[in-house]
Structures are given as structure tokens and as C-alpha cells.
Amino acid sequence: MSNTVSFGIAGIWRRGHALAVFALLLSGCGLQPGAKLDASDMKFAALYGEYLQRSGTLRPDSSSPGVALSGAELDSLFARNGLDRKTFDAKLRSYSKNPQLWGDVLAQVRKNLRRQP
């Protein structure tokens, strides 16, 4: 009976050890950096963050749905961030096909907004 118990404990130890190694490998995969954002992704993130701020979307205390920006305000926003509407629309289509990249862009938007006063 003693041998059975020792083999059982050794088996548990080996399985536990293997599970710990496997968990470390999986956590390492989660630490891999996401897709590298290119210059147009960074411009998109800057534009999107500024749009959220200026439209009032970020005000959690407000019960209003936000403020629609005028065409001139949107044109100014695009120009200030170095994007045109065609590129913006193309980026949106590419993000819809690549959720990981979209998540990385949103993370960059959050970083940009945290830096704002």
C-alpha cells in the first residue's frame, strides 16, 4: 500500500509539474506584444481619441448622447491628424477583418486619452 501511495504522489507531482510548465508557456504567449501599429494606425488612434473627446462621448456624468461635430470640424480633425476620409474608411474595413489589430488600436487610443489633461 505504501508503494501505491508513493507512486500516486509521484504521479501527481509529475502531472502538477507538467501543468505548471504548461501554464508558464501559455502565460508567456499572452505576454507577446500585439501587432505593431504602423504610422497610419497611430494617426487613426489619435484621430479617434480626439473625436471621442470633442464629441462628448467620454463624459460619463452626462446623460446627453454627445455632440455631433460639423462637417468643417470633422475636416479640421482629419487634417490635424494627417488622415483623409478615404484612408479612414479603409482602416475601418481592415480593422473589421483583424480584431487583434483593432484591439491594439483601441489600447493606443486609451494611452493617448490618459496622457490628455
Side-chain angles (χ1 to χ4, degrees), residues 71-109:
E73 289 172 316
L74 286 173
D75 289 341
S76 173
L77 188 64
F78 277 103
R80 195 171 33 261
N81 288 286
L83 280 176
D84 58 32
R85 291 176 191 250
K86 183 178 176 181
T87 304
F88 182 85
D89 291 341
K91 292 305 280 181
L92 277 178
R93 282 190 300 277
S94 72
Y95 297 145
S96 71
K97 295 174 186 173
N98 188 342
Q100 175 64 43
L101 181 57
W102 176 238
D104 294 341
V105 169
L106 291 178
Q108 183 63 46
V109 169

Side-chain angles (χ1 to χ4, degrees), residues 2-75:
S2 162
N3 286 340
T4 306
V5 172
S6 65
F7 284 126
I9 292 172
I12 291 171
W13 173 254
R14 280 191 299 260
R15 280 189 299 253
H17 185 61
L19 287 175
V21 170
F22 184 69
L24 283 173
L25 289 173
L26 284 179
S27 68
C29 292
L31 296 175
Q32 298 298 319
K36 180 86 170 142
L37 299 181
D38 64 19
S40 63
D41 294 324
M42 296 299 283
K43 288 178 182 181
F44 185 98
L47 183 145
Y48 191 56
E50 188 175 345
Y51 171 80
L52 291 173
Q53 280 189 314
R54 294 190 62 202
S55 67
T57 304
L58 294 178
R59 294 186 199 124
D61 57 337
S62 175
S63 60
S64 69
V67 177
L69 299 179
S70 70
E73 289 172 316
L74 286 173
D75 289 341

